[in-house]
Amino acid sequence: MTLQFSLTTAAPETADTACILVGVYEQGVLTSAAARVDGATGGAIKRQVESGDISGKAGSSTLLYAPIGIAAKRVLVVGLGTQKGFDAARYQKVAIEAARALGRLPVNEAVSYLAEADVPDRDAAWRVRTAALSADHAAYRYTATFKPREKSAQPELAALAFAAGADAEAGLTQARGIAEGVRFARELANLPPNICTPAYIAAQAQAFADAHDKVDCRVLDHVEMEKLGFGSLLAVGRGSANKPKLIALQYHGGAEGVAPYAFVGKGITFDTGGISLKPGPGMEEMKFDMGGAAGVLGAFVAAVKMGVGQNLVCVVPSAENMPDGDSYRPGDVLTSLSGLTIEVLNTDAEGRLILCDALTWTARTFQPQAMVDAATLTGACVIALGKHASGLFSKHDDLAAELLAAGEHALDRAWRMPLWDDYQVQLDSGFADVANIGGKSAGAITAACFLSRFAEGQRWAHLDIAGTAWDEGRKGLATGRPVALLAQWLIDRGA
C-alpha cells in the first residue's frame, strides 16, 4: 500500500488523529511539540522521562495511549539521542525507526511533528522529504507474493501528515516522486527470475511510457541487435531461452534539441556465472543482479513523477547469464558494438560485457551531456566498501563531485574510487584489444577501467552498487538504491 503524504499546521495538542509523533532528546530535553503535549496533558511525558520509561535514546519509542488533555488518541514519543551532534544521518535513522514503530500500531493515519527538529544545514523541505521517504521505505511490503497473504486484522497506516509550513511543500512533492521511483525499483528487483525476465522488464518500461505523456519507449530484440553489431551483449545471453533485450526510455522534460542526461543500468535478470559457474549456496540472490536496471528505471520514474525540467534517457541492456551448449565460454573473443575486441577470461564477469555495448549505443544514439551507469558489478566493491556506500568511478572531477554531493544530500551515499590508467595494464590481452577481467587485485577498479574504454569522449561516471542494491539473507529485499542519489542529481541540475 502506497502511503499518502500531506502537510498540516494543526497544533500537537489539537490535532484530531489516531496518533501524533513527537521527539525527545536524551537528558529529558523536549522538542517544542513534545513540550506542548506535555503541558496539555499535565506533565505526562516528563513523568515518564523522570521514571526512566522514556530514555530519549535515538530511535527508541514509547506509546502514550489516550492521554487526557489533547485531541489525539495516541502519542508516540520518539527518542532523538543527544541534542549535541544531532545531524542528518541521525535524523534519518530516527525517522525510519519511528515509522517502523508507527507501522506496528493499529492506526490508519497519523501526524508527525518530528520535522521540527533542528538539523544543521537542512531546511524544512529536506526534513519533511527525508521523513516521508523514511516512512515510505518502512511501510513497503513486497506485494507480488506467490503465497496467500493473511489479511491484517488491524488497520494499516495509509496516510501520514507532517507539521510544517508551505516552505516544505517542494520537499513533499519530491518525496512523492522519489517514493514512487524507489517502490518501482524495489518491486522489480524483488520479483523472482522466472517472472522478471528481459521481456518482462521491457513490458514494464513500455507500460510506463504508454501511461505518461512526454515518455517514449524503444525496445531492440536480439535480431535487431545482431544486425547492429551488439556482439558483446548478445554473447552473454546466448545460453538462455530468455532472449536479450535493449530497452530505451526517453523523457522529453526539457527544451527540444537540448542534449539529454543518460542513465544506463545493468539488467542481468539472473546470473549463474555461465560456464564459469557460481557456487550453489546463495545463488538465489542473483535475481538481484538486475539491481542497476531497477535503480535507473526507478530514477527515471521519479524524474517523470517530479516533472523535472530536463531531457532524460534511460537505457537498460538486459540478459540472463546461463550455462548451455550455446553459451559463450572462457577463451572466446567477442567483437563489441564499438569495434573493440574482448577476450573472455571469465563468463561471470558478464555485467561489463552487456554494459559496454549499451554505453556505446547510448552515446551514439543520444549524444548525452552526461552519462551515468549503475550496476551490481563486482564483489570486490562489497569487500572494499561494504553495504553502506556505493562505489563511484569517474575521470571527470566535476561530475564525480556532483554525484557525491547528491548522495550526501539524499543520504544515499557514494565513495569515489580511483580510475587511474595505472590499472589498465591489468586488462591487457594477447588475443584481443582487452580482456574482460584484470585478475584478483583491484577488481572493482579494473571493472570500471574496462567500462571506461567504451565511454571515451563522454562525460561519464560509473556506480558499483553490488553492496548497496539489496539486503543479504533469505528474507533480504531490494533497497531501491541508487534512486534517491540519481533523482537528487537531476534536481540539482535545475528545472
Side-chain angles (χ1 to χ4, degrees):
M1 179 168 57
T2 302
L3 275 177
Q4 300 301 310
F5 298 121
S6 61
L7 297 179
T8 182
T9 56
E13 64 270 26
T14 61
D16 187 7
T17 183
C19 186
I20 61 173
L21 288 75
V22 299
V24 174
Y25 296 99
E26 289 183 13
Q27 287 84 47
V29 180
L30 308 187
T31 59
S32 174
R36 292 182 66 161
V37 170
D38 187 66
T41 58
I45 294 177
K46 282 188 176 178
R47 283 195 297 273
Q48 295 218 30
V49 169
E50 290 166 359
S51 69
D53 291 300
I54 294 177
S55 68
K57 182 179 178 181
S60 64
S61 60
T62 305
L63 183 68
L64 306 182
Y65 183 74
I68 297 173
I70 65 171
K73 297 178 179 62
R74 300 168 185 80
V75 179
L76 189 65
V77 182
V78 180
L80 304 178
T82 58
Q83 191 170 16
K84 184 180 181 180
F86 189 75
D87 60 8
R90 179 140 39 105
Y91 178 81
Q92 183 189 53
K93 174 187 174 181
V94 165
I96 291 173
E97 293 303 324
R100 287 172 177 162
L102 183 62
R104 292 190 287 268
L105 300 179
V107 301
N108 56 19
E109 44 93 22
V111 177
S112 174
Y113 291 85
L114 297 181
E116 71 174 4
D118 182 37
V119 183
D121 303 318
R122 297 292 193 271
D123 60 13
W126 182 92
R127 296 194 301 271
V128 165
R129 187 183 93 171
T130 300
L133 289 174
S134 297
D136 196 77
H137 197 277
Y140 172 79
R141 299 292 181 272
Y142 174 55
T143 57
T145 184
F146 294 89
K147 61 180 181 180
R149 184 187 179 199
E150 293 181 10
K151 188 174 182 180
S152 177
Q154 66 180 30
E156 294 184 7
L157 186 66
L160 184 58
F162 299 94
D167 57 338
E169 187 62 52
L172 205 59
T173 299
Q174 291 171 4
R176 293 187 184 108
I178 295 171
E180 282 207 49
V182 169
R183 281 178 174 265
F184 186 96
R186 296 184 80 185
E187 200 73 358
L188 195 63
N190 285 330
L191 286 169
N194 58 318
I195 301 297
C196 186
T197 62
Y200 181 88
I201 295 177
Q204 294 299 106
Q206 185 64 64
F208 183 80
D210 291 344
H212 294 84
D213 294 336
K214 300 183 181 180
V215 179
D216 300 322
C217 182
R218 178 184 179 188
V219 178
L220 303 184
D221 62 17
H222 64 286
V223 176
E224 293 172 280
M225 285 190 282
E226 183 78 44
K227 291 177 182 177
L228 293 171
F230 283 75
S232 186
L233 192 162
L234 291 174
V236 174
R238 245 172 38 204
S240 175
N242 294 303
K243 299 302 181 186
K245 304 284 185 184
L246 184 83
I247 304 140
L249 283 165
Q250 280 185 272
Y251 169 58
H252 307 281
E256 186 177 352
V258 174
Y261 294 99
F263 296 150
V264 180
K266 172 186 170 184
I268 296 292
T269 56
F270 194 76
D271 183 20
T272 65
I275 298 299
S276 305
L277 194 67
K278 291 179 180 290
M283 194 191 287
E284 70 279 358
E285 292 188 0
M286 287 301 99
K287 72 175 188 176
F288 293 120
D289 209 20
M290 42 65 70
V296 297
L297 286 167
F300 185 90
V301 168
V304 173
K305 294 295 184 180
M306 290 188 295
V308 298
Q310 296 97 25
N311 295 323
L312 179 64
V313 173
C314 181
V315 176
V316 171
S318 188
E320 191 176 50
N321 188 22
M322 300 287 284
D324 178 80
D326 193 37
S327 294
Y328 78 125
R329 72 219 110 196
D332 281 1
V333 173
L334 314 176
T335 301
S336 69
L337 181 62
S338 72
L340 287 176
T341 56
I342 304 164
E343 181 187 11
V344 178
L345 299 181
N346 189 322
T347 64
D348 194 23
E350 83 300 324
R352 66 201 72 183
L353 296 178
I354 68 169
L355 283 170
C356 70
D357 277 356
L359 290 171
T360 299
W361 185 81
T362 302
R364 288 179 179 176
T365 306
F366 301 106
Q367 294 87 47
Q369 56 180 296
M371 184 164 57
V372 181
D373 79 70
T376 53
L377 205 63
T378 66
C381 197
V382 186
I383 300 301
L385 297 176
K387 304 292 290 183
H388 302 290
S390 299
L392 170 63
F393 302 81
S394 183
K395 291 186 176 181
H396 302 272
D397 292 343
D398 56 345
L399 178 57
E402 291 170 6
L403 291 165
L404 289 172
E408 287 292 336
H409 189 81
L411 300 177
D412 181 4
R413 294 185 292 181
W415 187 259
R416 191 176 183 185
M417 303 280 279
L419 191 59
W420 305 331
D421 287 341
D422 308 54
Y423 293 97
Q424 291 281 4
V425 294
Q426 292 180 231
L427 296 170
D428 286 350
S429 167
F431 301 93
D433 294 318
V434 62
N436 79 322
I437 60 171
K440 65 180 181 179
S441 63
I445 298 171
T446 55
C449 284
F450 178 91
L451 293 177
S452 73
R453 299 193 182 204
F454 300 86
E456 289 290 339
Q458 297 295 311
R459 189 167 177 259
W460 162 81
H462 161 61
L463 289 168
D464 193 328
I465 60 170
T468 57
W470 79 93
D471 295 320
E472 294 175 322
R474 291 291 299 276
K475 294 185 178 181
L477 296 172
T479 63
R481 295 177 69 182
V483 171
L485 184 161
L486 294 174
Q488 182 62 47
W489 180 64
L490 290 174
I491 291 169
D492 292 342
R493 307 283 65 76

